[in-house]
């Protein structure tokens, strides 16, 4: 059973920074990719950033240049460094890990951590 546990959320002022962490129960090498998604009140969950195990990252246009995803394979940790935060970044942020099993895609999710950007 894969477990993902997020931490690091909180209240931050506009223009501030925050780093989210995600601890995975298994090796990150067992996933094809890990990433971060977010869901704002009244909106659908959306991709924020992903990191492929074989290399490469992908970002939503709305966070490019402000957010950076990274991973520590030795510690089974995934991070999201967020800077120049805006009120519209307010959301619950979820850690995601993906595996491919033949024709099946398996997504694992953490319970989320709330980020509130407000003055």
């Amino acid at each position: 059973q894969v477990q993902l546990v997020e931490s690091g959320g909180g209240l931050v002022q506009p223009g501030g920074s925050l780093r989210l962490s995600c601890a995975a129960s298994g090796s990150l090498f067992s996933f094809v990719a890990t990433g971060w998604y977010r869901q704002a009140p009244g909106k659908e969950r959306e991709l924020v950033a992903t990191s492929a195990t074989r290399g490469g990252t992908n970002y939503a246009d709305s966070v490019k240049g402000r957010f950076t995803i990274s991973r520590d394979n030795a510690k089974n940790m995934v991070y999201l460094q967020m800077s120049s935060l805006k009120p519209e970044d307010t959301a619950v942020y979820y850690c995601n890990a993906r595996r491919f099993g033949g024709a099946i895609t398996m997504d694992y999710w953490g319970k989320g951590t709330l980020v509130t950007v407000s003055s």
Side-chain angles (χ1 to χ4, degrees), residues 23-84:
S25 61
S27 170
L28 297 185
F29 291 115
S30 69
F31 305 109
V32 294
T34 54
W36 292 91
Y37 290 69
R38 67 186 181 187
Q39 187 167 16
K43 295 187 177 181
E44 295 186 352
R45 190 174 297 188
E46 63 176 4
L47 179 148
V48 176
T50 60
S51 172
T53 297
R54 292 186 176 183
T57 56
N58 182 48
Y59 294 92
D61 288 342
S62 59
V63 307
K64 282 181 180 177
R66 300 188 299 121
F67 290 11
T68 302
I69 187 171
S70 62
R71 50 196 288 164
D72 186 332
N73 293 323
K75 296 182 179 179
N76 298 330
M77 296 289 294
V78 184
Y79 304 100
L80 184 69
Q81 179 66 47
M82 305 184 294
S83 59
S84 301

